Amino acid sequence: MKKTLLRGLLNVLPLVLSIWLFWSLFESLDKVGNFLFGLFHIGELFKGAGFLLILTLLFVAGLLFSVSPIAWLYDFIIRQLMRFPFFKTVYSSINDIASLISSDNKNKGQQTVLVRQANDSYVIGFIMSDDMPAPLTAALPDGDWVPVLFPLSYQIAGVTTLVKREDLTVVDWSFEEAMKYNLTAGISTPKNNNDKAQKETDDTADKPV
């Protein structure tokens, strides 16, 4: 009975948490949209009207940023705000994270690699960029150095280490799948690997004894 309850919990919990997360996001955006309606003395039209308003505004913003004068004006405002150190630090961090998850930057300098340790073990890492800041390049010994990220399991944090490219073993594995595998400490295995293992098991079972 204990195993049955645990199996039910492990199957239902991810679904419940995912629904709760998306519902919380929906509620928050809906409240923001209704607040904007309230500025124009418009009451709540229906549940989700505020959410649709936010999506519409984001879509319109995307269209506007494709127009050169609007994009130039936005860049000009950002450059002025970047003169303030605190704003520059916060904005740069958020902008870098947004750029990381943006589909436009996928597979752009992000490569899954293995780094050999002193005890002949390997650590999974990710080359995040092929460009090195000039101060680091000047301080490091000669060589082709690249920043490699080592994510920590079940955390958003990670450690960025500078490694020579010649010391890296390149892995033909997508950034998304490798990151998921790393963040879950190897528990999350790509589906194609599971299917292959299951097929091999089935083929073995079908062989005559």
Side-chain angles (χ1 to χ4, degrees):
M1 181 177 179
K2 182 179 179 180
K3 291 184 178 180
T4 303
L5 290 175
L6 182 60
R7 188 184 306 114
L9 176 64
L10 293 178
N11 281 278
V12 173
L13 186 61
L15 176 62
V16 172
L17 289 179
S18 299
I19 294 176
W20 172 79
L21 179 62
F22 280 104
W23 179 257
S24 300
L25 179 62
F26 169 81
E27 286 280 351
S28 299
L29 294 179
D30 192 43
K31 289 180 180 179
V32 174
N34 287 328
F35 172 77
L36 296 178
F37 277 131
L39 296 178
F40 296 94
H41 305 287
I42 301 176
E44 183 176 354
L45 302 177
F46 55 87
K47 187 65 175 179
F51 178 77
L52 293 177
L53 175 62
I54 296 298
L55 291 184
T56 302
L57 292 177
L58 291 175
F59 180 77
V60 172
L63 293 177
L64 291 177
F65 281 119
S66 63
V67 180
S68 297
I70 300 297
W72 178 87
L73 178 61
Y74 177 79
D75 289 339
F76 174 78
I77 295 175
I78 292 299
R79 286 198 301 270
Q80 302 309 310
L81 292 175
M82 292 285 277
R83 295 182 177 182
F84 298 94
F86 180 74
F87 178 86
K88 181 178 180 179
T89 301
V90 175
Y91 176 82
S92 298
S93 300
I94 298 176
N95 186 59
D96 289 342
I97 295 175
S99 299
L100 178 62
I101 64 177
S102 173
S103 59
D104 294 337
N105 289 316
K106 286 182 179 179
N107 300 323
K108 188 177 180 180
Q110 299 172 358
Q111 176 67 56
T112 305
V113 295
L114 297 177
V115 181
R116 187 174 182 176
Q117 303 298 291
N119 59 352
D120 289 335
S121 62
Y122 289 86
V123 178
I124 301 175
F126 303 93
I127 298 178
M128 304 305 296
S129 174
D130 289 327
D131 299 325
M132 285 281 292
L136 290 178
T137 303
L140 291 169
D142 293 337
D144 187 8
W145 295 86
V146 289
V148 178
L149 173 67
F150 299 103
L152 302 179
S153 300
Y154 298 101
Q155 298 187 41
I156 302 178
V159 178
T160 301
T161 306
L162 303 179
V163 184
K164 283 188 176 181
R165 194 184 296 272
E166 62 191 47
D167 295 330
L168 301 175
T169 301
V170 178
V171 181
D172 186 14
W173 199 6
S174 70
F175 177 82
E176 293 77 13
E177 288 186 354
M179 179 66 78
K180 184 178 180 181
Y181 179 84
N182 219 18
L183 292 178
T184 59
I187 294 178
S188 176
T189 305
K191 184 178 180 182
N192 55 351
N193 287 354
N194 290 333
D195 293 342
K196 182 178 179 181
Q198 183 63 41
K199 185 177 184 300
E200 292 177 352
T201 302
D202 294 340
D203 291 342
T204 304
D206 293 337
K207 289 182 179 179
V209 180

